[in-house]
Amino acid sequence: MYEAKTVDLAKHLEEFKEQGYTVFERVYDEDTIAAWKEKFHQLKEDRAATSQNEWWYSSTCELAPKLMLPAVANPLILDFAELVMGPFVQLDNLTLAGFGSITKAEAGSRVSGWHRDRWANMPGEDYTHPLSINAISYLQDLTDEYGPLRVIPGSHRKPCGLAKEEQSIPHPDELVLNMKAGDVVVTHNGLIHSGTPNTSGNIRYFFSVYYNRTWLKHTDNHSGPNVQAIIQAARKRNDHRTMRLFGVDEHLEARANSGFLTADEQRWAEWSAADKAAIKP
């Protein structure tokens, strides 16, 4: 599913705080990417049978739990998520999507649309811990034709906005990220970013695991039988991290009312270590 390797999470955290995003390279292999593409086309075919021409699929952990749970619960990404949000990480939504191709003439020089993500706000001058983060993978290399990701570094800690006429054109402070298939970019929900129109002649595949804090509402439906089975299995293992992903946070009351006399990241590390130690074999 993902390559086991040593990753310096402290460096990624430093970059995330400074720039508003960080890229983990080659997290997913070709077989995993191929399986996600196959699932996309299966869902598209199934929906077409009911006259629904859809390109965007949510609640996909319920639709394909064996395939999707390893991505939602990827230990590398979750370890990083707990560094930036604490052990309060919930799955807001897991999205598998495709974007059709348009001509270069239709695309012109525009971008897909600058925005901050769900649960964001207009930031101040200092870094604040995000209420949500997005762990995005693209299932093909993001060449200029496939449409790279565009970010405005540092916009998660600057009170900067864009007028309506600026929201679909390149920005002078933008950075263009030509990510590789299988990379994961984790973005702060306050980061201003945009896609780029797809002119490749093929589908541009997009895979997003969007996390928020457990006291917020989630977008995906976690009440289906497959997700409920995941929760029950996690409860038997005393695996609070997996339960929290799907809206069951049995430590929330105590940890959300802890007195807050210890530095957040120190306390988070203690709680995260305790959760891991409590898991039964």
Side-chain angles (χ1 to χ4, degrees):
M1 169 57 76
Y2 60 92
E3 295 184 10
K5 55 191 174 189
T6 302
V7 175
D8 189 341
L9 290 181
K11 283 189 175 181
H12 282 282
L13 179 61
E14 181 181 358
E15 180 181 40
F16 182 87
K17 288 181 175 181
E18 180 69 21
Q19 302 295 334
Y21 74 95
T22 189
V23 177
F24 294 88
E25 297 181 346
R26 299 180 300 279
V27 175
Y28 296 109
D29 58 28
E30 292 181 1
D31 290 343
T32 301
I33 292 169
W36 288 343
K37 287 181 178 179
E38 181 180 358
K39 175 53 66 173
F40 170 84
H41 287 283
Q42 179 187 336
L43 291 170
K44 200 168 189 328
E45 183 177 342
D46 290 346
R47 301 295 170 85
T50 60
S51 301
Q52 298 179 27
N53 184 22
E54 294 186 28
W55 291 75
W56 188 279
Y57 305 102
S58 58
S59 295
T60 48
C61 202
E62 176 64 32
L63 296 174
K66 290 183 180 180
L67 179 62
M68 299 303 183
L69 180 60
V72 174
N74 183 320
L76 170 64
I77 303 303
L78 280 189
D79 281 349
F80 183 73
E82 291 191 352
L83 287 180
V84 300
M85 293 199 296
F88 303 103
V89 180
Q90 172 181 247
L91 175 64
D92 182 290
N93 67 85
L94 191 158
T95 298
L96 177 61
F99 296 87
S101 180
I102 61 176
T103 67
K104 291 185 177 180
E106 289 173 318
S109 60
R110 65 184 174 87
V111 304
S112 300
W114 295 108
H115 63 283
R116 291 183 168 97
D117 276 340
R118 184 176 176 85
W119 305 111
N121 63 316
M122 179 64 75
E125 295 288 351
D126 297 319
Y127 172 83
T128 58
H129 301 303
L131 289 176
S132 56
I133 59 175
N134 205 353
I136 307 170
S137 301
Y138 298 91
L139 310 189
Q140 67 283 301
D141 292 351
L142 289 188
T143 62
D144 291 343
E145 291 73 26
Y146 270 108
L149 175 65
R150 298 167 182 259
V151 300
I152 302 179
S155 55
H156 64 307
R157 50 185 180 81
K158 296 177 183 176
C160 55
L162 296 173
K164 187 174 182 179
E165 61 271 17
E166 298 175 308
Q167 294 173 13
S168 59
I169 60 175
H171 191 276
D173 297 330
E174 73 178 29
L175 184 65
V176 177
L177 302 181
N178 292 97
M179 293 169 54
K180 299 294 186 182
D183 291 352
V184 175
V185 57
V186 180
T187 58
H188 189 293
N189 66 324
L191 178 74
I192 300 176
H193 61 286
S194 173
T196 305
N198 172 23
T199 61
S200 67
N202 300 305
I203 295 173
R204 178 182 186 266
Y205 297 95
F206 170 88
F207 186 84
S208 162
V209 187
Y210 197 78
Y211 300 103
N212 66 17
R213 297 201 183 199
T214 50
W215 56 84
L216 297 172
K217 292 183 178 180
H218 47 80
T219 307
D220 276 0
N221 182 358
H222 296 334
S223 62
N226 290 327
V227 169
Q228 287 299 304
I230 292 170
I231 294 170
Q232 292 306 315
R235 180 173 278 114
K236 289 181 180 179
R237 299 192 307 272
N238 204 34
D239 182 351
H240 287 274
R241 181 149 82 163
T242 298
M243 286 191 287
R244 270 197 304 270
L245 283 171
F246 300 102
V248 180
D249 190 351
E250 296 178 344
H251 294 315
L252 181 60
E253 178 61 29
R255 292 176 179 178
N257 192 27
S258 63
F260 304 101
L261 300 176
T262 303
D264 287 345
E265 292 178 12
Q266 177 184 337
R267 180 58 60 86
W268 293 350
E270 294 169 355
W271 287 337
S272 294
D275 287 346
K276 290 178 181 178
I279 298 175
K280 300 174 183 177

